[in-house]
């Protein structure tokens, strides 16, 4: 099966296990050293510590979305309360949060009907793929910011790219979830294409 056919098949996926993406995020986040917390990231408004705090919050909010819960965790838009603050016990909290997130999205009911995430109502299936995309892209952000290798599950990357790139995040369809897409060759690896579509430069490095 060629790359285009694989991507088309991935777009038809109704449900995917987020466990590998959560595990990949934890591998990178768990490898962050304390002296790296103030470093720059591809999320220009966040240093490493704020990005980690953002991921901790995402785990709570997107797990609540999988369970169709309504409340502060699902009703708050990202950034609406200022920069996120990283707690001292963030490592244990993030590990627990990622485990809970993976478990929450393993329920078939999580992918059915409608839910709410980041103050937005959306179909459960799309919320699941938004969650997958957040894990993959922010895992890449953290890896690049802290000089770590990052090799996420390729099936997850292909599925996220196929579904998310078909979605429109603005009226004219020219915007990914984090900003205007960065042009990436069709021959580039799937992760680079996902990162470029998401509004990141796949070649980003600290200081560049």
């Amino acid at each position: 099966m060629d790359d285009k056919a694989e991507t088309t098949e991935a777009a038809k996926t109704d449900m995917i296990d987020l466990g590998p993406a959560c595990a990949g995020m934890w591998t990178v986040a768990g490898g962050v050293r304390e002296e790296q917390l103030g470093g720059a990231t591809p999320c220009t408004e966040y240093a490493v510590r704020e990005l980690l705090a953002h991921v901790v919050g995402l785990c709570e909010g997107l797990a609540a979305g999988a369970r169709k819960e309504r409340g502060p965790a699902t009703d708050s838009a990202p950034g609406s309360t200022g920069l996120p603050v990283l707690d001292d016990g963030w490592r244990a909290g993030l590990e627990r949060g990622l485990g809970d997130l993976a478990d929450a999205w393993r329920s078939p009911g999580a992918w059915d009907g409608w839910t709410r995430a980041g103050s937005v109502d959306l179909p459960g299936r799309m919320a699941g793929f938004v969650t997958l995309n957040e894990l993959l892209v922010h895992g890449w952000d953290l890896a690049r910011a802290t000089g770590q290798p990052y090799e996420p599950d390729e099936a997850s990357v292909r599925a996220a790219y196929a579904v998310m790139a078909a979605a429109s995040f603005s009226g004219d369809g020219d915007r990914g979830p984090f900003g205007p897409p960065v042009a990436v060759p069709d021959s580039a690896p799937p992760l680079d294409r996902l990162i470029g579509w998401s509004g990141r430069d796949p070649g980003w490095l600290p200081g560049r």
Side-chain angles (χ1 to χ4, degrees):
M1 184 180 292
D2 62 24
D3 186 69
K4 183 176 181 180
E6 286 185 8
T7 300
T8 301
E9 287 300 310
K12 300 176 183 177
T13 300
D14 291 323
M15 178 177 171
I16 190 168
D17 183 10
L18 302 191
C22 287
M25 168 63 79
W26 174 242
T27 296
V28 174
V32 174
R33 303 189 306 274
E34 292 298 312
E35 65 268 23
Q36 294 177 315
L37 292 177
T41 76
C43 303
T44 55
E45 70 274 27
Y46 289 162
V48 171
R49 64 168 51 88
E50 283 87 31
L51 181 54
L52 285 165
H54 175 64
V55 173
V56 171
L58 284 176
C59 288
E60 180 184 2
L62 294 171
R67 292 189 289 262
K68 307 294 195 294
E69 297 173 356
R70 296 296 180 100
T74 57
D75 290 344
S76 299
S80 60
T81 58
L83 289 176
V85 177
L86 190 65
D87 294 334
D88 290 340
W90 68 268
R91 292 183 192 273
L94 181 56
E95 186 174 20
R96 287 193 302 270
L98 287 167
D100 182 51
L101 183 64
D103 286 344
W105 283 102
R106 287 186 177 119
S107 169
W111 299 77
D112 295 335
W114 284 72
T115 190
R116 188 170 180 82
S119 78
V120 177
D121 293 316
L122 71 170
R125 177 178 183 272
M126 181 53 64
F129 281 100
V130 166
T131 301
L132 178 61
N133 187 69
E134 293 278 347
L135 289 165
L136 294 170
V137 174
H138 287 323
W140 179 88
D141 289 336
L142 284 170
R144 282 303 175 97
T146 59
Q148 297 185 69
Y150 185 55
E151 298 180 359
D153 172 61
E154 188 166 319
S156 297
V157 173
R158 288 183 181 278
Y161 179 74
V163 174
M164 299 301 293
S168 174
F169 286 82
S170 66
D172 53 15
D174 64 354
R175 180 180 173 83
F178 305 119
V182 174
V184 176
D186 290 341
S187 59
L191 180 59
D192 283 1
R193 297 203 303 275
L194 177 65
I195 294 303
W197 170 81
S198 296
R200 306 280 202 263
D201 177 359
W204 186 94
L205 291 171
R208 282 181 52 179

